[in-house]
Amino acid sequence: MRFHTEVLHAGKKELEKYGATLPPVYQSSAFEQNSAEDLAGIFENKAPGYCYTRVSNPTVTAFEMRITKLEGGMASVACASGMAAITNAFMNIIQSGDEIVTSASLYGGTIDLFRDLEAFGIRTHFVENNNWEAFEKVINEHTKLIFAETIGNPGLDVTDIKGLAELAHAHGLPLIIDNTTATSYLIRPLELGADIVVNSSSKYINGNSSAISGILTDSGHFKWTREKYPILGEYLKYGPMAYISRMRATVFRNFGAVFPLKMHF
Ligand SMILES: *Cc1c(COP(=O)(O)O)cnc(C)c1O
């Protein structure tokens, strides 16, 4: 399947138990299992399956699988909004005392979020986009991630993702790219070296201004280390799945900013 086919069909298998041609909507808050033990296993992320829609839901999984394909990643997590996706993407790997380095060409809501993070002891350095010297100058031992938008909203400047990914990796840091203004139809940041891509699916991905949601996609390529990312703790044993595993088991389900199923279908 190529891009235009995947837009319509990727992830469909997750839902096709009876051959339905229109994706079924699992509008159910809870899911039954054969035994309490089976349910406990799923609830504790030890077995695949569904237990409660704040944790996961088959219709949402199909959407995650589709965007994962379109962005060329390994796994995705769909959220309540673009801001929820960005918040999850950050909070999964940062702790009090950590720092973020970001391009200053950003969506206003994201700039506000960086201000909110100050209350949790997380400091952000804003630098001129594509100015490598400026990025280098503020990166230090507390830096945990680099952030930029593919096309800054509303400035419309284009980020050299390949250059920024090389700079980030030279410092052992992941690059998180907000791809909302371009979408994977125009550019795939993960192919250019970004490690995690976030999209507000309230915009082009929704396509008709009728609902709010967001999604983040992990390439699975970043090498997380215990020294630099102690917060990933026990999840490091999952290797390429460490980042998404921790998110699903902790911040995503506990912050509760989950995909608004009812709004979309
Ligand atoms: C709209 C937007 C967001 C936030 O998305 P919401 O779905 O409104 O929370 C984030 N980044 C960019 C570039 C946006 O345009």
mmCIF file of all heavy atoms in Angstrom, residues 39-58:
data_model
loop_
_atom_site.group_PDB
_atom_site.id
_atom_site.type_symbol
_atom_site.label_atom_id
_atom_site.label_comp_id
_atom_site.label_asym_id
_atom_site.label_seq_id
_atom_site.Cartn_x
_atom_site.Cartn_y
_atom_site.Cartn_z
ATOM 1 N N LEU A 39 -8.443 -9.884 32.681
ATOM 2 C CA LEU A 39 -8.677 -8.446 32.743
ATOM 3 C C LEU A 39 -7.536 -7.748 33.489
ATOM 4 O O LEU A 39 -7.046 -6.707 33.051
ATOM 5 C CB LEU A 39 -10.018 -8.175 33.442
ATOM 6 C CG LEU A 39 -10.526 -6.736 33.369
ATOM 7 C CD1 LEU A 39 -10.786 -6.318 31.931
ATOM 8 C CD2 LEU A 39 -11.815 -6.581 34.184
ATOM 9 N N ALA A 40 -7.081 -8.363 34.570
ATOM 10 C CA ALA A 40 -5.982 -7.775 35.349
ATOM 11 C C ALA A 40 -4.714 -7.690 34.505
ATOM 12 O O ALA A 40 -3.999 -6.687 34.533
ATOM 13 C CB ALA A 40 -5.740 -8.594 36.611
ATOM 14 N N GLY A 41 -4.457 -8.751 33.738
ATOM 15 C CA GLY A 41 -3.269 -8.778 32.883
ATOM 16 C C GLY A 41 -3.276 -7.640 31.875
ATOM 17 O O GLY A 41 -2.264 -6.975 31.651
ATOM 18 N N ILE A 42 -4.447 -7.396 31.280
ATOM 19 C CA ILE A 42 -4.583 -6.323 30.293
ATOM 20 C C ILE A 42 -4.445 -4.969 30.986
ATOM 21 O O ILE A 42 -3.727 -4.082 30.514
ATOM 22 C CB ILE A 42 -5.942 -6.442 29.561
ATOM 23 C CG1 ILE A 42 -5.945 -7.709 28.682
ATOM 24 C CG2 ILE A 42 -6.218 -5.205 28.707
ATOM 25 C CD1 ILE A 42 -7.316 -8.114 28.183
ATOM 26 N N PHE A 43 -5.092 -4.846 32.145
ATOM 27 C CA PHE A 43 -5.067 -3.580 32.875
ATOM 28 C C PHE A 43 -3.650 -3.211 33.296
ATOM 29 O O PHE A 43 -3.278 -2.052 33.336
ATOM 30 C CB PHE A 43 -5.987 -3.661 34.093
ATOM 31 C CG PHE A 43 -6.393 -2.315 34.604
ATOM 32 C CD1 PHE A 43 -7.325 -1.554 33.911
ATOM 33 C CD2 PHE A 43 -5.837 -1.790 35.758
ATOM 34 C CE1 PHE A 43 -7.689 -0.296 34.371
ATOM 35 C CE2 PHE A 43 -6.197 -0.541 36.221
ATOM 36 C CZ PHE A 43 -7.130 0.217 35.525
ATOM 37 N N GLU A 44 -2.845 -4.235 33.591
ATOM 38 C CA GLU A 44 -1.463 -3.984 34.028
ATOM 39 C C GLU A 44 -0.479 -3.979 32.855
ATOM 40 O O GLU A 44 0.733 -4.069 33.059
ATOM 41 C CB GLU A 44 -1.050 -5.044 35.055
ATOM 42 C CG GLU A 44 -1.740 -4.850 36.403
ATOM 43 C CD GLU A 44 -1.748 -6.118 37.258
ATOM 44 O OE1 GLU A 44 -0.970 -7.051 36.961
ATOM 45 O OE2 GLU A 44 -2.561 -6.173 38.198
ATOM 46 N N ASN A 45 -0.988 -3.891 31.629
ATOM 47 C CA ASN A 45 -0.146 -3.839 30.426
ATOM 48 C C ASN A 45 0.714 -5.080 30.255
ATOM 49 O O ASN A 45 1.777 -5.025 29.645
ATOM 50 C CB ASN A 45 0.781 -2.606 30.448
ATOM 51 C CG ASN A 45 0.014 -1.319 30.433
ATOM 52 O OD1 ASN A 45 -0.822 -1.099 29.547
ATOM 53 N ND2 ASN A 45 0.260 -0.474 31.406
ATOM 54 N N LYS A 46 0.273 -6.216 30.798
ATOM 55 C CA LYS A 46 1.069 -7.438 30.677
ATOM 56 C C LYS A 46 0.559 -8.301 29.530
ATOM 57 O O LYS A 46 1.217 -9.250 29.125
ATOM 58 C CB LYS A 46 1.031 -8.228 31.986
ATOM 59 C CG LYS A 46 1.887 -7.554 33.056
ATOM 60 C CD LYS A 46 1.878 -8.336 34.356
ATOM 61 C CE LYS A 46 2.675 -7.610 35.430
ATOM 62 N NZ LYS A 46 2.018 -7.643 36.733
ATOM 63 N N ALA A 47 -0.643 -8.016 29.049
ATOM 64 C CA ALA A 47 -1.219 -8.792 27.945
ATOM 65 C C ALA A 47 -1.937 -7.837 26.995
ATOM 66 O O ALA A 47 -2.427 -6.793 27.437
ATOM 67 C CB ALA A 47 -2.197 -9.820 28.503
ATOM 68 N N PRO A 48 -1.989 -8.185 25.693
ATOM 69 C CA PRO A 48 -2.711 -7.325 24.755
ATOM 70 C C PRO A 48 -4.217 -7.460 24.972
ATOM 71 O O PRO A 48 -4.683 -8.475 25.518
ATOM 72 C CB PRO A 48 -2.296 -7.880 23.390
ATOM 73 C CG PRO A 48 -1.917 -9.304 23.640
ATOM 74 C CD PRO A 48 -1.420 -9.373 25.059
ATOM 75 N N GLY A 49 -4.969 -6.442 24.563
ATOM 76 C CA GLY A 49 -6.423 -6.494 24.716
ATOM 77 C C GLY A 49 -6.941 -5.167 25.238
ATOM 78 O O GLY A 49 -6.173 -4.226 25.449
ATOM 79 N N TYR A 50 -8.252 -5.140 25.472
ATOM 80 C CA TYR A 50 -8.890 -3.891 25.885
ATOM 81 C C TYR A 50 -9.620 -4.080 27.206
ATOM 82 O O TYR A 50 -10.233 -5.121 27.444
ATOM 83 C CB TYR A 50 -9.859 -3.424 24.799
ATOM 84 C CG TYR A 50 -9.135 -3.134 23.504
ATOM 85 C CD1 TYR A 50 -9.044 -4.098 22.492
ATOM 86 C CD2 TYR A 50 -8.490 -1.917 23.316
ATOM 87 C CE1 TYR A 50 -8.336 -3.840 21.330
ATOM 88 C CE2 TYR A 50 -7.777 -1.655 22.158
ATOM 89 C CZ TYR A 50 -7.706 -2.620 21.170
ATOM 90 O OH TYR A 50 -7.002 -2.365 20.037
ATOM 91 N N CYS A 51 -9.514 -3.065 28.070
ATOM 92 C CA CYS A 51 -10.200 -3.136 29.361
ATOM 93 C C CYS A 51 -11.034 -1.887 29.615
ATOM 94 O O CYS A 51 -12.158 -1.980 30.101
ATOM 95 C CB CYS A 51 -9.201 -3.352 30.496
ATOM 96 S SG CYS A 51 -7.924 -2.089 30.599
ATOM 97 N N TYR A 52 -10.489 -0.715 29.256
ATOM 98 C CA TYR A 52 -11.141 0.535 29.611
ATOM 99 C C TYR A 52 -10.682 1.594 28.614
ATOM 100 O O TYR A 52 -9.486 1.679 28.313
ATOM 101 C CB TYR A 52 -10.739 0.914 31.051
ATOM 102 C CG TYR A 52 -11.514 2.030 31.675
ATOM 103 C CD1 TYR A 52 -12.905 1.999 31.745
ATOM 104 C CD2 TYR A 52 -10.865 3.142 32.214
ATOM 105 C CE1 TYR A 52 -13.612 3.039 32.331
ATOM 106 C CE2 TYR A 52 -11.564 4.176 32.808
ATOM 107 C CZ TYR A 52 -12.947 4.123 32.862
ATOM 108 O OH TYR A 52 -13.637 5.142 33.437
ATOM 109 N N THR A 53 -11.604 2.399 28.088
ATOM 110 C CA THR A 53 -11.272 3.286 26.970
ATOM 111 C C THR A 53 -10.295 4.413 27.332
ATOM 112 O O THR A 53 -9.634 4.944 26.457
ATOM 113 C CB THR A 53 -12.579 3.775 26.290
ATOM 114 O OG1 THR A 53 -13.105 2.674 25.541
ATOM 115 C CG2 THR A 53 -12.370 4.934 25.352
ATOM 116 N N ARG A 54 -10.154 4.736 28.614
ATOM 117 C CA ARG A 54 -9.087 5.705 28.961
ATOM 118 C C ARG A 54 -7.709 5.099 28.717
ATOM 119 O O ARG A 54 -6.744 5.812 28.468
ATOM 120 C CB ARG A 54 -9.218 6.179 30.416
ATOM 121 C CG ARG A 54 -8.071 7.098 30.841
ATOM 122 C CD ARG A 54 -8.380 7.944 32.071
ATOM 123 N NE ARG A 54 -8.913 7.179 33.163
ATOM 124 C CZ ARG A 54 -8.204 6.334 33.937
ATOM 125 N NH1 ARG A 54 -6.920 6.174 33.714
ATOM 126 N NH2 ARG A 54 -8.769 5.678 34.906
ATOM 127 N N VAL A 55 -7.605 3.789 28.761
ATOM 128 C CA VAL A 55 -6.334 3.097 28.551
ATOM 129 C C VAL A 55 -6.130 2.827 27.058
ATOM 130 O O VAL A 55 -5.084 3.144 26.485
ATOM 131 C CB VAL A 55 -6.294 1.787 29.359
ATOM 132 C CG1 VAL A 55 -4.988 1.050 29.140
ATOM 133 C CG2 VAL A 55 -6.518 2.072 30.841
ATOM 134 N N SER A 56 -7.131 2.244 26.407
ATOM 135 C CA SER A 56 -7.091 2.034 24.958
ATOM 136 C C SER A 56 -8.463 1.577 24.483
ATOM 137 O O SER A 56 -9.291 1.125 25.283
ATOM 138 C CB SER A 56 -6.024 1.001 24.576
ATOM 139 O OG SER A 56 -6.282 -0.236 25.187
ATOM 140 N N ASN A 57 -8.669 1.733 23.181
ATOM 141 C CA ASN A 57 -9.971 1.424 22.558
ATOM 142 C C ASN A 57 -9.692 1.000 21.121
ATOM 143 O O ASN A 57 -8.841 1.604 20.457
ATOM 144 C CB ASN A 57 -10.825 2.714 22.606
ATOM 145 C CG ASN A 57 -12.099 2.598 21.814
ATOM 146 O OD1 ASN A 57 -12.093 2.583 20.597
ATOM 147 N ND2 ASN A 57 -13.215 2.526 22.517
ATOM 148 N N PRO A 58 -10.365 -0.034 20.614
ATOM 149 C CA PRO A 58 -10.033 -0.547 19.275
ATOM 150 C C PRO A 58 -10.144 0.498 18.156
ATOM 151 O O PRO A 58 -9.307 0.517 17.253
ATOM 152 C CB PRO A 58 -11.058 -1.670 19.053
ATOM 153 C CG PRO A 58 -11.626 -1.989 20.385
ATOM 154 C CD PRO A 58 -11.422 -0.813 21.285
#
